[in-house]
């Protein structure tokens, strides 16, 4: 998976889960509104103090803030704090102006946090650029519609996940750098890489009243960002980027990475676990939750043949015996061999993910 730029590298918490601070900002920059420049500064005696000070300003969307490093090597400590701020997912880039051990930080914010702020304080929406205003209205309408249809957190999170996957095309031509307008581009233009998927999903979840965090780490060894979501009192990982087929397939959405535990996701994702709540339960994982887990491929195919659907259908299943397969190719060959042996009448095609070997996306004919 392509994504997340070097400006997004590891992980941390998100503005989405905290109450919006009192309004104190004036419109400025392309992603206005943000807080007006702070004249105050803070002297940090250690990295923990520096980190807390900077993240508090970041979560208030301050346009700038100054920190005096009264410890360690200024360049080393400045870079460490900048990395922490970029790992939050709230800022997409950071400029610095330094004079001795005093450093002024000037963040560039993701449009998702700016839109979320305007959603919470509607009088601020008029200060947004026209495209961002349009994207915000679109997001609000979508969330209102989904919340009216689905009363439960799980169903709302699933509906938003499916909407993004079905209406977005992964476009590697956008590059791997995190973009401040990624959410607007996804909603209005239908294209994104992982920062767009994760930022848009996090914003929509927050609008729907679902607590979530960005996780910045690695997927298949490449910098990547996804969402950690609290559903029904349990933390789970949801990676919309990985569930959107590439190349894009009209009408197809997968659920191999919906509501995964730490143990499941760790097969091909890496992140700094200590910075996050544990996702310890498999109970909400999509195939488990919906009763789509089978011991063997034969059991799955016989079950599918027994269904009486009037039209073609497809879904994500979990097959325990596929976990022992050495590769995707082995899994494909094995599934085809079993289908031939049992004379499956309905199996049309299968899609597998190398990082989630037990999961299989099957298309069936009636």
């Amino acid at each position: 998976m392509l994504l997340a730029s070097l400006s997004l590298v590891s992980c941390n918490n998100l503005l989405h889960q905290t109450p919006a601070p009192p309004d104190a900002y004036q419109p400025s920059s392309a992603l206005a509104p943000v807080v007006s420049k702070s004249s105050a500064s803070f002297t940090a005696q250690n990295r923990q103090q520096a980190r807390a000070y900077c993240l508090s300003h970041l979560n208030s969307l301050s346009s700038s803030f100054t920190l005096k490093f009264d410890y360690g090597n200024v360049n080393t400590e400045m870079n460490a704090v900048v990395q922490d701020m970029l790992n939050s997912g709230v800022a997409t880039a950071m400029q610095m102006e330094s004079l001795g051990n005093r450093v002024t930080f000037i963040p560039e914010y993701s449009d998702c946090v700016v839109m979320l702020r305007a959603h919470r304080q509607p009088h601020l929406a008029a200060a947004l650029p026209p495209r961002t205003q349009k994207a915000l209205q679109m997001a609000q309408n979508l969330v209102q519609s989904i919340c009216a249809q689905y009363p439960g957190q799980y169903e709302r999170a699933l509906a938003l996940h499916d909407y993004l996957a079905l209406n977005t095309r992964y476009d590697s031509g956008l590059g791997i750098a995190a973009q401040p307008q990624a959410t607007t581009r996804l909603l209005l233009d239908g294209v994104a890489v992982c920062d767009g998927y994760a930022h848009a999903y996090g914003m929509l979840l927050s609008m729907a009243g679902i607590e979530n965090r960005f996780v910045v780490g690695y997927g298949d060894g490449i910098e990547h960002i996804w969402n950690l979501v609290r559903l029904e009192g349990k933390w789970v990982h949801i990676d919309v980027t990985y569930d959107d087929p590439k190349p894009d397939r009209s009408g197809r959405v997968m659920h191999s990475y919906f509501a995964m535990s730490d143990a499941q996701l760790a097969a091909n994702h890496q992140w700094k676990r200590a910075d996050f709540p544990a996702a310890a339960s498999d109970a909400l994982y999509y195939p488990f939750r919906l009763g789509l887990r089978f011991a063997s491929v034969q059991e799955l195919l016989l079950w599918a043949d027994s269904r009486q659907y009037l039209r073609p259908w497809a879904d994500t299943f979990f097959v325990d015996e596929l976990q022992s397969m050495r590769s995707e190719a082995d899994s494909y060959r094995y599934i085809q061999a079993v289908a031939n042996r049992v004379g499956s009448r309905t199996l049309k095609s299968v899609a597998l993910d190398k990082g989630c070997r037990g999961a299989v996306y099957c298309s069936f004919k009636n």
Side-chain angles (χ1 to χ4, degrees):
M1 263 331 91
L2 256 188
L3 228 126
S5 76
L6 191 57
S7 62
L8 290 174
V9 194
S10 211
C11 51
N12 231 315
N13 67 332
L14 174 63
L15 179 67
H16 296 172
Q17 70 205 54
T18 59
D23 178 32
Y25 47 67
Q26 301 295 325
S28 67
S29 85
L31 287 179
V34 293
V35 183
S36 57
K37 182 176 288 189
S38 172
S39 60
S41 64
F42 175 75
T43 300
Q45 304 295 327
N46 54 56
R47 187 176 293 183
Q48 184 177 2
Q49 290 181 358
R51 182 178 186 272
Y53 173 79
C54 290
L55 289 177
S56 69
H57 274 278
L58 203 65
N59 282 332
S60 296
L61 300 190
S62 297
S63 61
S64 70
F65 45 95
T66 300
L67 178 64
K68 180 180 179 182
F69 292 92
D70 204 21
Y71 69 98
N73 177 276
V74 174
N75 287 332
T76 299
E77 298 306 319
M78 176 182 69
N79 289 333
V81 170
V82 167
Q83 194 63 70
D84 276 338
M85 288 190 284
L86 294 175
N87 287 346
S88 73
V90 174
T92 59
M94 187 72 62
Q95 298 180 43
M96 287 83 71
E97 298 174 355
S98 61
L99 180 62
N101 64 346
R102 294 172 62 89
V103 180
T104 296
F105 299 96
I106 307 168
E108 182 174 31
Y109 292 100
S110 166
D111 58 344
C112 71
V113 297
V114 177
M115 280 193 276
L116 185 60
R117 184 69 174 266
H119 170 73
R120 289 169 170 165
Q121 300 181 53
H123 68 283
L124 300 172
L128 298 174
R131 269 178 60 86
T132 309
Q133 289 185 44
K134 185 176 179 181
L136 173 60
Q137 186 63 58
M138 182 177 178
Q140 291 170 327
N141 291 341
L142 172 62
V143 170
Q144 183 179 23
S145 173
I146 284 177
C147 287
Q149 294 178 66
Y150 304 102
Q153 285 189 337
Y154 192 94
E155 291 72 22
R156 288 179 180 182
L158 181 60
L160 290 170
H161 165 282
D162 289 1
Y163 176 88
L164 293 180
L166 288 169
N167 291 279
T168 308
R169 175 175 56 85
Y170 185 92
D171 186 356
S172 58
L174 296 174
I176 65 171
Q179 299 293 323
Q181 291 280 6
T183 303
T184 298
R185 184 186 295 116
L186 180 148
L187 291 171
L188 299 187
D189 304 331
V191 294
V193 283
C194 71
D195 65 330
Y197 286 94
H199 285 169
Y201 192 49
M203 181 185 75
L204 294 171
L205 288 171
S206 295
M207 289 180 175
I210 299 173
E211 185 179 358
N212 67 95
R213 298 173 109 172
F214 293 136
V215 184
V216 187
Y218 295 86
D220 292 309
I222 299 173
E223 289 173 319
H224 186 52
I225 181 170
W226 63 95
N227 304 89
L228 185 66
V229 184
R230 188 174 175 85
L231 296 178
E232 301 177 357
K234 297 181 176 68
W235 286 100
V236 293
H237 296 274
I238 300 177
D239 192 337
V240 186
T241 308
Y242 269 57
D243 274 341
D244 193 9
K246 301 160 201 60
D248 196 59
R249 302 284 185 88
S250 178
R252 175 178 288 189
V253 53
M254 303 171 76
H255 301 98
S256 300
Y257 291 85
F258 188 86
M260 298 183 86
S261 66
D262 288 341
Q264 290 172 315
L265 191 68
N268 65 340
H269 285 54
Q270 301 80 43
W271 68 102
K272 194 175 179 182
R273 292 199 195 187
D275 285 354
F276 297 94
S281 174
D282 293 333
L284 298 182
Y285 183 44
Y286 179 88
F288 299 175
R289 169 80 170 226
L290 275 69
L292 301 177
R293 183 179 187 178
F294 298 89
S296 67
V297 172
Q298 178 171 315
E299 183 182 331
L300 165 61
L301 295 180
L302 292 176
W303 173 85
D305 283 348
S306 72
R307 304 290 93 180
Q308 294 184 355
Y309 288 94
L310 299 178
R311 52 186 170 78
W313 57 290
D315 213 332
T316 298
F317 304 85
F318 193 91
V319 181
D320 291 328
E321 70 173 339
L322 289 180
Q323 294 181 87
S324 62
M325 296 289 133
R326 292 176 298 178
S327 67
E328 286 181 87
D330 286 346
S331 295
Y332 279 120
R333 284 193 292 267
Y334 180 72
I335 293 170
Q336 187 59 60
V338 174
N340 292 338
R341 186 174 72 244
V342 302
S344 175
R345 297 175 289 100
T346 59
L347 182 64
K348 182 179 180 182
S349 65
V350 295
L352 294 142
D353 188 289
K354 63 183 178 181
C356 188
R357 292 182 183 174
V360 54
Y361 182 87
C362 297
S363 298
F364 296 100
K365 52 193 175 184
N366 60 344

